[in-house]
């Protein structure tokens, strides 16, 4: 595929917003169904990697779908948790198969920074619905939270086919999800706080899966 020549944006003048993306295509138009005629004509200011500049939205999603990882992410949403957008953005960065919202359908998309357009998001109205779906897909439900029976994420052998589940900021995982989980994992901490932000915990857990199943690093 022909790729655009992407040059760094000029340094903004004091008080100016930095320019994002690239301007209109320069030179003969490229051939291929994945190119977006409007973006080629007007420029591409989206928050995407340079290799996706000027691509149609559906072409980007199709390319991502061709190589998504085997893990899913789920987060409970009973109180309109502000962390969900950031979790979706991180799931997109680590190429999760899907993100699952358990509870309220509406969630705050601001933290997603439009990455939800490229990340599959599925809604489950109840924990029971989510558990039935995961079991039907033969996915191990792995909770991430601090419980007396939690085991350290750092030494745990994460399964390749799994869904990592996170609770609300504050109350954490509900008892129903805790009971349904194959295991519940905790993240080792060394300071004075009892717990870390749910979005931060999600990023750490996703990266642990990437280290194990993309880079073949054994837990230790």
């Amino acid at each position: 595929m022909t790729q655009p020549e992407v040059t760094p944006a000029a340094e903004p003048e004091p008080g100016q917003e930095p320019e994002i993306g690239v301007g209109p295509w320069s030179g003969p138009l490229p051939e291929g169904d994945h190119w977006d005629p409007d973006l080629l004509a007007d420029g591409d200011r989206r928050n995407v990697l340079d290799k996706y500049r000027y691509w149609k939205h559906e072409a980007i999603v199709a390319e991502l779908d061709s190589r998504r990882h085997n893990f899913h992410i789920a987060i409970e949403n009973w109180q309109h948790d502000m962390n969900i957008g950031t979790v979706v953005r991180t799931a997109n960065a680590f190429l999760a198969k899907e993100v699952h919202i358990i509870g309220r359908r509406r969630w705050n998309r601001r933290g997603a920074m439009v990455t939800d357009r490229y990340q599959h998001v599925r809604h489950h109205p109840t924990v029971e619905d989510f558990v039935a779906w995961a079991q039907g897909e033969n996915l191990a439900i792995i909770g991430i939270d601090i419980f007396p029976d939690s085991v350290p994420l750092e030494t745990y052998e994460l399964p390749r086919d799994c869904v990592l589940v996170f609770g609300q900021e504050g109350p954490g995982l509900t008892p129903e999800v805790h009971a349904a989980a194959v295991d519940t994992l905790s993240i080792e901490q060394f300071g004075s706080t009892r717990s870390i932000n749910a979005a931060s915990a999600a990023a750490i857990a996703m990266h642990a899966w990437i280290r194990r199943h993309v880079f073949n690093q054994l837990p230790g």
Side-chain angles (χ1 to χ4, degrees), residues 140-188:
I141 298 174
I142 306 293
I144 310 292
D145 207 339
I146 301 172
F147 289 108
D149 63 346
S150 294
V151 297
L153 168 67
E154 294 79 11
T155 57
Y156 186 80
E157 180 68 31
L158 282 170
R160 179 176 292 275
D161 299 306
C162 66
V163 52
L164 304 171
V165 191
F166 303 86
Q168 291 272 171
E169 184 71 24
L173 288 175
T174 58
E176 293 80 7
V177 172
H178 185 198
V182 173
D183 284 304
T184 304
L185 312 181
S186 60
I187 297 169
E188 189 66 25

Side-chain angles (χ1 to χ4, degrees), residues 16-160:
Q16 277 188 330
E17 290 293 324
E19 190 174 64
I20 298 172
V22 291
W25 180 278
S26 178
L29 291 178
E31 297 181 359
D33 293 337
H34 62 291
W35 301 110
D36 186 307
D38 292 333
L39 294 175
L40 290 170
D42 301 330
D44 187 351
R45 306 300 180 183
R46 299 172 299 175
N47 179 24
V48 297
L49 295 175
D50 285 345
K51 73 175 185 177
Y52 295 129
R53 290 296 178 201
Y54 306 109
W55 283 35
K56 295 176 181 176
H57 169 259
E58 57 269 26
I60 296 175
V61 174
E63 197 280 331
L64 295 174
D65 286 348
S66 71
R67 55 187 180 85
R68 289 190 190 275
H69 295 128
N70 290 48
F71 74 93
H72 296 243
I73 295 297
I75 185 164
E76 295 189 90
N77 183 35
W78 310 109
Q79 302 169 3
H80 204 54
D81 197 327
M82 298 289 288
N83 286 284
I84 294 178
T86 304
V87 171
V88 170
R89 182 180 181 182
T90 307
N92 170 270
F94 290 130
L95 205 58
K97 185 78 74 176
E98 287 186 329
V99 174
H100 302 263
I101 311 297
I102 307 169
R104 296 178 58 174
R105 180 181 292 275
R106 294 186 63 185
W107 53 278
N108 191 318
R109 285 171 162 74
R110 183 174 181 179
M113 299 292 288
V114 199
T115 55
D116 53 306
R117 294 193 63 205
Y118 306 92
Q119 177 64 54
H120 299 296
V121 179
R122 186 191 299 254
H123 174 247
H124 303 273
T126 65
V127 172
E128 292 75 16
D129 177 75
F130 164 72
V131 171
W133 170 84
Q135 291 175 344
E137 296 292 322
N138 295 315
L139 293 171
I141 298 174
I142 306 293
I144 310 292
D145 207 339
I146 301 172
F147 289 108
D149 63 346
S150 294
V151 297
L153 168 67
E154 294 79 11
T155 57
Y156 186 80
E157 180 68 31
L158 282 170
R160 179 176 292 275

